[in-house]
Amino acid sequence: MNSRHSIIVTLFLITILNGGCLDIFSSGGGSFVKIHYVAIDIDDVFMSPHSPVDVKMNAGDVMRLLELTNKIGNSFGSDFKFSLGFNDGYFDMTNPGDLALIEHAGDFVWFVHLPRHEHVKGNSLSKEKIENLMAESAHFENSKGISPHVSKTYMITPKNEGTWPPYEPLYESFNKFGILYTANSNIKSMYEYEGVRVFPRTLLGIGSSKHSAEDVSRAKILSLARWLYYELLINDITLIGAHQANFTDNRPAEKIFEELIPILLANKNHKFIFLPAEKAIEAYLNSQE
């Protein structure tokens, strides 16, 4: 083997050890840069769980979320927006947080999460019932003027129900409303069913009701940021699932992402592109062609 072939083989082995195929050969330092697409969903927007503590976002929480949006976008040089899964049946005209979300609707990308957090499979909802719920959400979008900012091809069901194993009435409803992408936290690789692509979903790791320092310690936040870093590192695309409650009170989810950002920026061999879920999926699929 001559020296040129030896160099090529060595570079190939280094590539394999560092996580697979090459996406960009940087002209700067001659190092390989691996591309990763990342989206952050926030489920249960407008929802107020039945508990002694009201964990709806307040107006201050919404402003902090916009600040975090800008920080992520500026840090990674991408057109990032959080994707908000809304339960329109819980919208409260008297709640300042709900009103602030509507006021800043264009600063987010929205997706249907069903009006009252209905469980499609657990409640054995019929195709007609699911479609009526989706139509109800569409009416809300139009009445509140957020329709231009709502994803038309991406939707997440509460608890990710019905996406795997496939629940036929749900997929029939997906097809009627033009849904092309969804996700499930219990699968490890993408699959396609009835024309709908289902992606793995990485949950944030703190639960749907965690919102205070008593719930999530500093040590837990640090460990989750590090764990999330490795999840992003091993996947070409990561759809992160968080919940509204995680961004209220002392905002533990915000703290996790604040810890995660510098860790990602320190890795010069990997490029993380943060986008709304629908755009992240489309960019990833285009990169595979």
Side-chain angles (χ1 to χ4, degrees):
M1 180 183 295
N2 60 35
S3 60
R4 184 184 176 195
H5 288 165
S6 178
I7 291 171
I8 292 173
V9 170
T10 301
L11 288 174
F12 176 75
L13 291 174
I14 290 172
T15 300
I16 297 299
L17 292 173
N18 279 279
C21 61
L22 312 180
D23 294 279
I24 290 179
F25 183 82
S26 77
S27 58
S31 60
F32 297 116
V33 179
K34 174 73 176 174
I35 297 291
H36 305 267
Y37 298 97
V38 187
I40 306 173
D41 294 345
I42 304 178
D43 295 351
D44 302 349
V45 168
F46 301 135
M47 187 175 175
S48 182
H50 301 291
S51 70
V53 180
D54 181 0
V55 293
K56 273 181 177 282
M57 282 187 178
N58 59 40
D61 295 329
V62 176
M63 295 303 103
R64 288 292 292 268
L65 191 58
L66 292 177
E67 291 175 11
L68 183 58
T69 298
N70 291 332
K71 182 169 185 177
I72 292 173
N74 292 335
S75 296
F76 298 96
S78 56
D79 186 20
F80 172 72
K81 292 181 180 180
F82 283 96
S83 303
L84 305 185
F86 65 97
N87 305 116
D88 49 280
Y90 292 101
F91 178 74
D92 182 357
M93 277 292 295
T94 68
N95 185 277
D98 287 9
L99 295 176
L101 285 164
I102 295 297
E103 180 184 352
H104 295 278
D107 294 309
F108 305 102
V109 174
W110 302 67
F111 63 86
V112 172
H113 199 51
L114 296 185
R116 285 158 294 279
H117 206 261
E118 287 88 352
H119 294 177
V120 296
K121 191 171 183 180
N123 293 333
S124 301
L125 298 185
S126 66
K127 173 178 176 286
E128 291 72 23
K129 176 63 174 177
I130 296 170
E131 290 177 1
N132 286 340
L133 292 171
M134 293 172 71
E136 182 180 335
S137 293
H139 175 73
F140 174 84
E141 298 165 18
N142 292 324
S143 66
K144 299 303 177 187
I146 69 170
S147 185
H149 315 297
V150 177
S151 172
K152 305 307 179 187
T153 61
Y154 180 73
M155 176 181 167
I156 299 292
T157 55
K159 303 295 185 184
N160 307 163
E161 275 196 358
T163 53
W164 181 259
Y167 184 57
E168 292 297 336
L170 176 63
Y171 279 88
E172 291 173 2
S173 301
F174 279 165
N175 287 329
K176 179 175 179 178
F177 279 80
I179 301 300
L180 300 176
Y181 315 118
T182 187
N184 189 294
S185 57
N186 295 316
I187 63 174
K188 297 300 183 183
S189 60
M190 185 198 77
Y191 70 91
E192 185 171 341
Y193 185 78
E194 297 293 339
V196 179
R197 286 188 170 99
V198 186
F199 287 82
R201 203 176 196 217
T202 299
L203 299 181
L204 195 57
I206 55 178
S208 60
S209 62
K210 304 303 183 184
H211 55 90
S212 71
E214 289 71 26
D215 291 327
V216 188
S217 67
R218 171 71 175 165
K220 180 70 170 177
I221 285 171
L222 293 174
S223 68
L224 286 173
R226 177 61 62 175
W227 169 79
L228 196 55
Y229 166 65
Y230 288 118
E231 285 290 305
L232 269 59
L233 203 60
I234 64 175
N235 293 303
D236 292 339
I237 180 170
T238 305
L239 305 179
I240 302 170
H243 294 85
Q244 176 187 235
N246 307 149
F247 291 88
T248 65
D249 200 354
N250 77 327
R251 309 180 188 97
E254 175 187 319
K255 291 178 170 59
I256 292 172
F257 291 117
E258 291 279 1
E259 294 293 340
L260 177 64
I261 290 171
I263 300 175
L264 296 178
L265 292 174
N267 190 328
K268 303 304 181 183
N269 294 321
H270 296 258
K271 181 177 177 64
F272 301 92
I273 300 177
F274 282 74
L275 293 167
E278 184 179 50
K279 287 188 176 181
I281 290 171
E282 291 172 349
Y284 163 73
L285 292 174
N286 288 337
S287 75
Q288 303 301 297
E289 293 178 353

